[in-house]
């Protein structure tokens, strides 16, 4: 395999472990290195490089679980000894192994200087190094899609910015080819409105896409007018919408009251 810029970035990224056994194409077992055993790994984005059909492939995923195993501590004689004496110097802590689970979320294959979506069609050899992903790796891996990406924030509980796609519903460039339904659910004050506003701005980037907001609290209308909406998180909604040349029209409830039988176009 020819070494690419991405390979150099992966080499520089922190190695946390290697592929262990048993592993499958949906869940990869991870033998965690001693140097990474005291790190917060659950929730982190990780990556490994492997070869599939003669092409360099890069599999991205999230570490979903970390387990500790010490076979000596599971031995009945040792257990009884520990019960009476407490930890055993040569065994406790020293013979611990940390095993992780990694769920694969995206796979890319290197084709020339570009990267194309692929699938994990095989399980790479045990011992294949697994690295933590950082922004420089994501930036390079997603370089063909750079103008389509939108960032709502960082990976939950981690540092890299989470790249997302908000495609318009039409076919063609940057199009999904069909309409998508999204739901945001959470308890009061968990950030639903702020997230909805950010997603609205993501869709507002598409010139042909119109957005209708039913806004019973008036919070979207306020922010779109540049007024200060409740809450500590400031989103420059008006500036962004102006920058995108997206005109905003706000209709109050009174404008929508159907107060006569004859239909009048009150908005023209
Ligand atoms: N990503 C964020 N970073 C920092 N603060 C945030 C973030 N998202 C929301 N907040 C803040 O958290 C508070 C609650 O946010 P928001 O109003 O979006 O919650 P909500 O789930 O819509 O609440 P409600 O159920 O009352 O409508 C606000 O003060 C908001 O500014
Ligand atoms: Mg809200």
């Amino acid at each position: 395999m020819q070494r690419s810029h991405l390979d150099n970035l992966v080499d520089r990224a922190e190695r946390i472990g290697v592929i262990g056994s048993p592993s499958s194409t949906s869940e990869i077992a991870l033998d965690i290195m001693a140097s990474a055993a005291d790190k917060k790994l659950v929730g982190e984005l990780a990556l490994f490089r492997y070869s599939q059909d003669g092409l360099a492939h890069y599999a991205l995923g999230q570490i979903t679980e970390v387990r500790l195993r010490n076979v000596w501590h599971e031995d009945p004689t040792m257990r009884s000894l520990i019960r009476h004496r407490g930890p055993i110097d040569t065994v406790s802590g020293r013979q611990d192994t940390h095993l992780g689970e990694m769920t694969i979320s995206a796979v890319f294959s290197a084709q020339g200087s570009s990267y194309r979506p692929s699938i994990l069609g095989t399980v790479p050899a045990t011992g294949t190094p697994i690295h933590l992903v950082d922004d420089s790796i994501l930036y390079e891996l997603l370089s063909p899609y750079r103008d389509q990406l939108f960032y709502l924030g960082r990976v939950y509980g981690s540092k890299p910015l989470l790249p997302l796609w908000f495609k318009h519903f039409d076919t063609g460039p940057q199009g999904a080819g069909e309409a998508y339904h999204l739901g945001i659910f959470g308890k009061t004050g968990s950030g639903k409105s702020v997230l909805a506003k950010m997603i609205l701005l993501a869709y507002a980037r598409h010139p042909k896409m119109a957005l209708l907001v039913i806004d019973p609290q008036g919070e979207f209308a306020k922010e779109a007018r540049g007024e200060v909406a409740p809450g500590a998180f400031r989103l420059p909604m008006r500036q962004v919408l102006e920058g995108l040349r997206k005109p905003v029209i706000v209709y109050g409830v009174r404008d929508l009251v159907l107060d006569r039988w004859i239909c009048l176009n009150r908005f023209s």
Side-chain angles (χ1 to χ4, degrees):
M1 271 190 280
Q2 210 185 341
R3 298 197 63 74
S4 62
H5 176 47
L6 182 58
D7 290 329
N8 295 331
L9 293 173
V10 172
D11 287 345
R12 261 183 267 150
E14 184 176 348
R15 189 155 58 118
I16 49 163
V18 299
I19 292 182
S21 177
S23 286
S24 73
T25 46
S26 56
E27 209 144 60
I28 297 288
L30 169 64
D31 288 331
I32 297 166
M33 289 164 62
S35 55
D38 61 351
K39 290 178 86 72
K40 181 199 84 77
L41 293 177
V42 172
E44 295 295 330
L45 269 187
L47 168 139
F48 58 83
R49 179 178 40 198
Y50 69 104
S51 173
Q52 187 172 290
D53 294 330
L55 292 174
H57 276 63
Y58 303 86
L60 266 174
Q62 201 164 25
I63 298 176
T64 51
E65 192 184 71
V66 174
R67 272 174 289 127
L68 173 122
R69 193 112 203 245
N70 185 329
V71 286
W72 297 103
H73 265 245
E74 292 168 23
D75 180 80
T77 323
M78 287 289 189
R79 270 200 179 138
S80 144
L81 210 62
I82 290 161
R83 206 168 102 97
H84 295 291
R85 294 231 219 123
I88 302 168
D89 285 351
T90 48
V91 168
S92 306
R94 289 172 186 244
Q95 308 284 344
D96 289 354
T97 54
H98 287 81
L99 309 162
E101 290 281 356
M102 179 178 168
T103 308
I104 303 302
S105 45
V107 179
F108 294 88
S109 69
Q111 290 180 22
S113 58
S114 185
Y115 307 98
R116 300 248 171 93
S118 183
I119 58 158
L120 189 64
T122 180
V123 183
T126 49
T128 302
I130 298 183
H131 301 263
L132 280 182
V133 169
D134 57 30
D135 279 335
S136 65
I137 291 178
L138 286 176
Y139 193 75
E140 174 62 20
L141 200 52
L142 299 168
S143 53
Y145 316 99
R146 219 169 267 167
D147 59 337
Q148 302 174 29
L149 295 177
F150 195 86
Y151 297 93
L152 293 179
R154 298 180 191 280
V155 175
Y156 183 70
S158 185
K159 290 193 201 98
L161 288 165
L162 180 67
L164 293 162
W165 267 269
F166 289 96
K167 299 180 175 185
H168 62 71
F169 301 162
D170 203 353
T171 48
Q174 299 209 21
E178 58 179 314
Y180 276 92
H181 297 271
L182 292 174
I184 303 172
F185 304 93
K187 60 181 183 182
T188 302
S190 57
K192 298 181 297 294
S193 297
V194 168
L195 186 59
K197 285 169 200 162
M198 293 207 251
I199 293 174
L200 184 143
L201 293 179
Y203 280 122
R205 293 178 314 143
H206 302 300
K208 279 166 67 186
M209 205 155 167
L211 298 141
L212 171 73
V213 182
I214 299 169
D215 186 19
Q217 293 172 16
E219 50 180 335
F220 287 78
K222 261 192 177 163
E223 291 224 23
R225 284 198 200 109
E227 292 170 23
V228 177
F233 193 77
R234 294 274 86 88
L235 207 59
M237 231 172 131
R238 184 179 167 183
Q239 290 90 312
V240 175
L241 288 169
E242 276 176 2
L244 294 168
R245 297 177 194 280
K246 214 51 160 182
V248 180
I249 308 164
V250 179
Y251 297 121
V253 177
R254 282 173 192 283
D255 301 322
L256 302 175
V257 171
L258 304 174
D259 56 357
R260 66 202 70 188
W261 290 106
I262 305 158
C263 178
L264 292 176
N265 189 349
R266 303 180 67 160
F267 309 130
S268 58

